[in-house]
Amino acid sequence: MLIYFVTFISFIFFYKYTLPIKPLPSWASEMRLLSFYFWENLSILFPSIKFLKNTQMTSNMTKKKKVNKSTTYSSENSKTTTTTTTTTTNPCLLDLPDLVLETILEKLEPSDLSTMACVSTCLKDICLSDFLWKRHMKEKWGRIIGSAAQREWESHIATQKESKNYFFDGGEGGFLVKYLSKLMPLVVFKSSFNGKRKQMESSSDCSIVSFYRALETGMFWFPAQVFNRENGHVGFIMSCYDAELCYDSHTDTFEARYPPHGTRAIASESGVTWERLRAAPVDNSPHDLLISNSLNDLRPKDHIEIQWRKNKQFPYGWWYGVIGHLESCDGNTTYCQCHTSNTLVVEFKQYAPGSRWRHMTINRKDHREEGNETEGFYGGIKKLYNKDDISMWQQFWPAGILE
């Protein structure tokens, strides 16, 4: 602080007693021309300056029609003549009715909408609206983004907002900003501060386009389920397990991280394709038992998926199966009474007859979790009503029967 004070006093003394105050020389008028070339060269080094200039020109060109009226007086006949001059410009997209404009923008792909948003502030507000992006979100991500992924995104946004508020508005971060503002030049600090704030605000945007962008760029890991995990490992054929997923737009595939199984490390898999993914069928943790509410409706040949885990420290996976007949039933649909029995048979026909994994029985009335440490534990059952859900499972049917 003492150094700044001495320097300031020295400058005042030098300026007052050594620098003569004289009129500006004649060449000073040429500085205006020099400044023109200076700003032209500066716009080459800093394109944002040129962008601002072009933006202003574009704004002036998109103004509506102007009507200029001039009045001319004649001294001979004392008549007043009014001349109207109309200046017209090229048609502007923003001049269209709102319904027509929205109809046009609805036809654009996500990349084109993002490009249109850069044209003007007005188009930015329209092109980034939830109304236009809701359809794109549903078409591309609707099948694999469930309620769990939505909650994860909302939690991510809330965390980003808390971080922003802590840095800029309070806590140690707020005091750090105040301290840095005293050390840095005011203009530089404001530019850096505003840029950082805008960056963090954009990252904490809860709009649909922000969610879409986070998924598309792979910046957000979301929960979903993967069929035949770990590249179709034989121990996971015809199963579906929870995982954390990240999208890779270059390969149009996903990277998956599976939760640890007991003492086993986290398993990961790359190159997971779209058809191997789905949103979780029920909104609960993979460690929670599903309380089945359709056991009394199950009949032979019904398609189901059932929870299974190796031991009680592992999360559940979903396994595909069908309801079978009791041993006492010959399978004749006319005389079959399997649906009246308290014993329910579940068959896994991907395994060979005689395999210990081929079938299992559960109590229809009082079913919770059944099994042991050798054959694993069977949990809740979910009946498949939708043909699309059934065909999704059957597309992973193995080429050969498993032992």
Side-chain angles (χ1 to χ4, degrees):
M1 184 64 69
L2 181 60
I3 296 176
Y4 292 130
F5 180 78
V6 173
T7 305
F8 178 76
I9 295 300
S10 302
F11 174 79
I12 295 299
F13 181 83
F14 176 76
Y15 176 81
K16 183 174 181 180
Y17 296 100
T18 62
L19 293 180
I21 301 177
K22 296 180 179 181
L24 294 175
S26 59
W27 49 264
S29 59
E30 300 176 3
M31 288 302 294
R32 179 172 299 179
L33 181 61
L34 178 62
S35 65
F36 170 78
Y37 292 105
F38 170 76
W39 287 108
E40 286 293 322
N41 293 331
L42 190 62
S43 65
I44 298 176
L45 297 177
F46 301 95
S48 59
I49 295 179
K50 188 175 182 180
F51 172 77
L52 293 175
K53 179 180 178 182
N54 294 337
T55 303
Q56 183 178 5
M57 294 177 62
T58 305
S59 176
N60 294 332
M61 293 177 63
T62 57
K63 290 182 178 180
K64 294 183 178 180
K65 298 179 181 180
K66 297 180 180 179
V67 179
N68 299 327
K69 295 183 179 180
S70 59
T71 304
T72 305
Y73 296 92
S74 175
S75 58
E76 296 179 356
N77 50 15
S78 300
K79 292 182 179 181
T80 302
T81 304
T82 302
T83 303
T84 303
T85 303
T86 303
T87 303
T88 61
T89 59
N90 294 329
C92 178
L93 184 65
L94 296 178
D95 293 335
L96 295 174
D98 293 341
L99 182 59
V100 176
L101 179 59
E102 290 178 357
T103 303
I104 295 174
L105 296 178
E106 282 181 350
K107 306 297 182 182
L108 298 181
E109 294 298 322
S111 58
D112 298 326
L113 269 179
S114 300
T115 302
M116 288 291 292
C118 300
V119 174
S120 68
T121 303
C122 183
L123 282 176
K124 177 182 177 182
D125 295 337
I126 300 175
C127 293
L128 300 184
S129 63
D130 288 351
F131 170 76
L132 293 176
W133 285 88
K134 190 174 184 179
R135 178 178 65 87
H136 296 297
M137 190 71 179
K138 182 178 180 180
E139 288 180 354
K140 184 167 185 178
W141 298 97
R143 189 175 61 84
I144 64 176
I145 296 297
S147 56
Q150 187 67 41
R151 287 196 305 270
E152 190 73 19
W153 171 250
E154 293 172 358
S155 176
H156 172 75
I157 292 300
T159 303
Q160 292 292 327
K161 288 183 178 180
E162 290 178 2
S163 176
K164 180 199 70 174
N165 294 335
Y166 179 80
F167 184 83
F168 292 107
D169 301 328
E172 294 181 1
F175 293 114
L176 179 61
V177 169
K178 295 177 182 178
Y179 177 73
L180 291 177
S181 65
K182 298 178 180 179
L183 300 180
M184 300 173 61
L186 183 60
V187 176
V188 176
F189 174 76
K190 284 186 176 180
S191 176
S192 176
F193 177 81
N194 293 334
K196 185 65 177 178
R197 176 182 281 272
K198 289 180 180 179
Q199 181 182 0
M200 297 189 71
E201 286 178 349
S202 62
S203 64
S204 60
D205 183 9
C206 60
S207 63
I208 295 179
V209 63
S210 179
F211 193 10
Y212 187 98
R213 186 185 297 116
L215 292 170
E216 191 76 18
T217 57
M219 297 176 60
F220 177 65
W221 289 78
F222 62 94
Q225 292 186 340
V226 182
F227 290 93
N228 293 2
R229 57 173 284 180
E230 299 181 31
N231 296 309
H233 188 284
V234 67
F236 297 102
I237 296 296
M238 301 303 293
S239 70
C240 193
Y241 276 81
D242 287 80
E244 292 286 328
L245 298 168
C246 176
Y247 180 63
D248 183 358
S249 59
H250 299 289
T251 60
D252 194 27
T253 59
F254 295 82
E255 182 180 354
R257 295 188 305 209
Y258 302 102
H261 286 57
T263 58
R264 183 181 176 185
I266 297 177
S268 62
E269 179 184 357
S270 59
V272 180
T273 54
W274 283 87
E275 60 270 13
R276 291 179 56 197
L277 303 179
R278 73 170 183 180
V282 293
D283 190 17
N284 64 342
S285 168
H287 291 273
D288 295 338
L289 174 69
L290 173 69
I291 304 302
S292 306
N293 55 9
S294 60
L295 294 180
N296 293 328
D297 300 332
L298 293 176
R299 296 172 178 266
K301 296 185 179 180
D302 282 345
H303 299 263
I304 58 100
E305 51 184 273
I306 184 172
Q307 289 178 313
W308 181 86
R309 58 182 175 178
K310 187 175 182 180
N311 59 53
K312 294 192 175 183
Q313 285 72 43
F314 285 15
Y316 284 112
W318 289 96
W319 292 76
Y320 173 75
V322 294
I323 301 301
H325 292 275
L326 298 172
E327 292 183 3
S328 59
C329 180
D330 60 0
N332 190 327
T333 57
T334 303
Y335 304 101
C336 178
Q337 296 295 318
C338 295
H339 61 281
T340 63
S341 174
N342 289 336
T343 301
L344 190 65
V345 178
V346 179
E347 289 187 321
F348 305 98
K349 294 185 177 182
Q350 63 268 32
Y351 294 98
S355 171
R356 64 171 179 162
W357 306 111
R358 174 74 179 193
H359 72 275
M360 57 88 59
T361 59
I362 63 174
N363 190 313
R364 189 192 296 264
K365 284 189 175 181
D366 192 26
H367 172 63
R368 287 294 183 265
E369 183 182 58
E370 301 180 19
N372 51 59
E373 295 290 342
T374 303
E375 297 183 357
F377 295 88
Y378 295 87
I381 295 178
K382 179 178 179 293
K383 182 178 177 179
L384 299 176
Y385 297 92
N386 194 326
K387 292 183 178 180
D388 293 336
D389 294 336
I390 298 173
S391 62
M392 179 178 292
W393 275 106
Q394 292 180 341
Q395 69 175 324
F396 301 107
W397 197 263
I401 299 298
L402 305 176
E403 296 296 333

